[in-house]
Coordinates of all heavy atoms in Angstrom, one line a residue:
S40 N 0.8 -1.2 0.0 CA 0.0 0.0 0.0 C 0.9 1.3 0.0 O 2.1 1.2 0.3 CB -0.9 0.0 1.2 OG -0.2 0.1 2.4
N41 N 0.2 2.3 -0.3 CA 1.0 3.6 -0.4 C 1.5 4.0 0.9 O 0.8 4.0 1.9 CB 0.0 4.6 -0.9 CG 0.6 5.8 -1.7 OD1 1.8 5.9 -1.7 ND2 -0.1 6.6 -2.3
G42 N 2.8 4.4 1.0 CA 3.4 4.8 2.3 C 3.8 6.2 2.3 O 4.8 6.6 2.8
N43 N 3.0 7.1 1.6 CA 3.3 8.5 1.5 C 3.5 9.2 2.8 O 4.2 10.2 2.9 CB 2.3 9.2 0.6 CG 2.5 8.9 -0.8 OD1 3.6 8.4 -1.3 ND2 1.5 9.1 -1.6
W44 N 2.9 8.6 3.8 CA 3.0 9.2 5.2 C 4.4 9.2 5.6 O 4.9 9.9 6.6 CB 2.1 8.5 6.2 CG 2.3 7.0 6.2 CD1 1.6 6.1 5.5 CD2 3.3 6.3 7.0 NE1 2.1 4.8 5.8 CE2 3.2 5.0 6.7 CE3 4.3 6.7 8.0 CZ2 4.0 4.0 7.3 CZ3 5.0 5.7 8.6 CH2 4.9 4.4 8.2
A45 N 5.3 8.3 5.0 CA 6.7 8.2 5.4 C 7.6 9.0 4.4 O 8.8 8.7 4.3 CB 7.1 6.7 5.4
N46 N 7.0 9.9 3.7 CA 7.8 10.7 2.8 C 9.0 11.3 3.4 O 8.9 11.8 4.6 CB 7.0 11.8 2.1 CG 6.2 11.3 0.9 OD1 6.3 10.2 0.5 ND2 5.2 12.1 0.5
G47 N 10.1 11.3 2.7 CA 11.3 11.9 3.2 C 12.5 11.0 3.0 O 12.4 9.8 2.8
L48 N 13.7 11.6 3.0 CA 14.9 10.8 2.7 C 15.5 10.5 4.0 O 15.7 11.3 4.9 CB 15.9 11.6 1.8 CG 15.4 11.9 0.4 CD1 16.4 12.9 -0.2 CD2 15.2 10.7 -0.4
V49 N 16.0 9.3 4.1 CA 16.8 8.9 5.3 C 18.3 9.3 5.1 O 18.9 9.9 5.9 CB 16.6 7.4 5.6 CG1 17.5 7.0 6.7 CG2 15.2 7.0 5.9
E50 N 18.8 8.9 3.9 CA 20.2 9.2 3.6 C 20.4 9.0 2.1 O 20.0 8.1 1.5 CB 21.1 8.2 4.4 CG 22.5 8.5 4.1 CD 23.5 7.6 5.0 OE1 22.9 7.0 5.9 OE2 24.6 7.6 4.7
V51 N 21.2 9.9 1.5 CA 21.6 9.9 0.1 C 23.0 10.3 0.1 O 23.4 11.3 0.6 CB 20.7 10.8 -0.8 CG1 21.3 10.8 -2.2 CG2 19.3 10.4 -0.8
Q52 N 23.8 9.5 -0.5 CA 25.3 9.8 -0.7 C 25.7 9.5 -2.1 O 25.2 8.5 -2.7 CB 26.1 8.9 0.2 CG 25.9 9.2 1.6 CD 26.8 8.3 2.5 OE1 27.6 7.6 2.1 NE2 26.6 8.5 3.8
V53 N 26.4 10.4 -2.7 CA 27.0 10.2 -4.1 C 28.5 10.4 -4.0 O 29.0 11.4 -3.4 CB 26.4 11.3 -5.0 CG1 27.0 11.1 -6.4 CG2 24.9 11.1 -5.1
Y54 N 29.2 9.4 -4.5 CA 30.6 9.5 -4.5 C 31.2 9.5 -5.9 O 30.6 9.0 -6.9 CB 31.2 8.1 -3.9 CG 30.8 8.0 -2.4 CD1 29.7 7.2 -2.1 CD2 31.6 8.6 -1.4 CE1 29.4 7.1 -0.7 CE2 31.2 8.4 -0.1 CZ 30.1 7.6 0.2 OH 29.7 7.5 1.5
A55 N 32.3 10.2 -6.0 CA 32.9 10.4 -7.4 C 34.4 10.4 -7.3 O 35.0 10.8 -6.2 CB 32.4 11.7 -8.0
K56 N 35.0 10.0 -8.4 CA 36.5 10.2 -8.5 C 36.8 11.7 -8.7 O 36.0 12.3 -9.4 CB 37.0 9.4 -9.6 CG 37.0 7.9 -9.4 CD 37.6 7.2 -10.5 CE 37.5 5.7 -10.4 NZ 38.1 5.0 -11.6
N57 N 37.8 12.2 -8.2 CA 38.2 13.5 -8.4 C 39.0 13.7 -9.7 O 40.2 13.2 -9.7 CB 39.1 14.1 -7.2 CG 39.4 15.5 -7.3 OD1 38.9 16.2 -8.3 ND2 40.1 16.0 -6.3
D58 N 38.5 14.3 -10.7 CA 39.1 14.5 -11.9 C 39.7 15.9 -12.0 O 39.0 16.9 -12.3 CB 38.2 14.3 -13.1 CG 38.8 14.4 -14.5 OD1 40.0 14.7 -14.6 OD2 38.1 14.2 -15.5
K59 N 40.9 16.0 -11.5 CA 41.5 17.4 -11.2 C 41.5 18.3 -12.4 O 41.4 19.5 -12.3 CB 42.9 17.2 -10.6 CG 42.9 16.6 -9.3 CD 44.3 16.5 -8.7 CE 44.2 15.8 -7.3 NZ 45.5 15.7 -6.7
E60 N 41.5 17.7 -13.6 CA 41.5 18.6 -14.8 C 40.2 19.2 -15.1 O 40.1 20.3 -15.7 CB 41.9 17.7 -16.0 CG 43.3 17.2 -16.0 CD 43.7 16.3 -17.1 OE1 42.9 16.3 -18.1 OE2 44.7 15.6 -17.1
N61 N 39.1 18.7 -14.5 CA 37.8 19.2 -14.8 C 37.0 19.7 -13.5 O 35.8 20.0 -13.7 CB 36.9 18.1 -15.5 CG 37.5 17.7 -16.9 OD1 37.9 18.6 -17.6 ND2 37.5 16.5 -17.1
V62 N 37.7 19.9 -12.5 CA 37.0 20.4 -11.3 C 36.8 21.9 -11.3 O 37.7 22.6 -11.6 CB 37.9 20.0 -10.0 CG1 37.3 20.6 -8.7 CG2 38.0 18.6 -9.9
T63 N 35.6 22.3 -11.0 CA 35.3 23.7 -10.9 C 34.5 23.9 -9.7 O 33.8 23.0 -9.2 CB 34.4 24.2 -12.2 OG1 33.2 23.4 -12.2 CG2 35.2 24.0 -13.5

């Protein structure tokens, strides 16, 4: 069933390699 009463993020993480030539 729909659990919209629980809307919200618990945790989001995004990891990336550091490309020093293209970092702004």
Side-chain angles (χ1 to χ4, degrees):
S40 66
N41 209 348
N43 286 340
W44 55 268
N46 279 349
L48 296 174
V49 176
E50 182 175 349
V51 174
Q52 296 181 2
V53 177
Y54 297 96
K56 292 182 181 178
N57 186 2
D58 185 355
K59 292 182 181 181
E60 295 177 14
N61 295 321
V62 172
T63 57

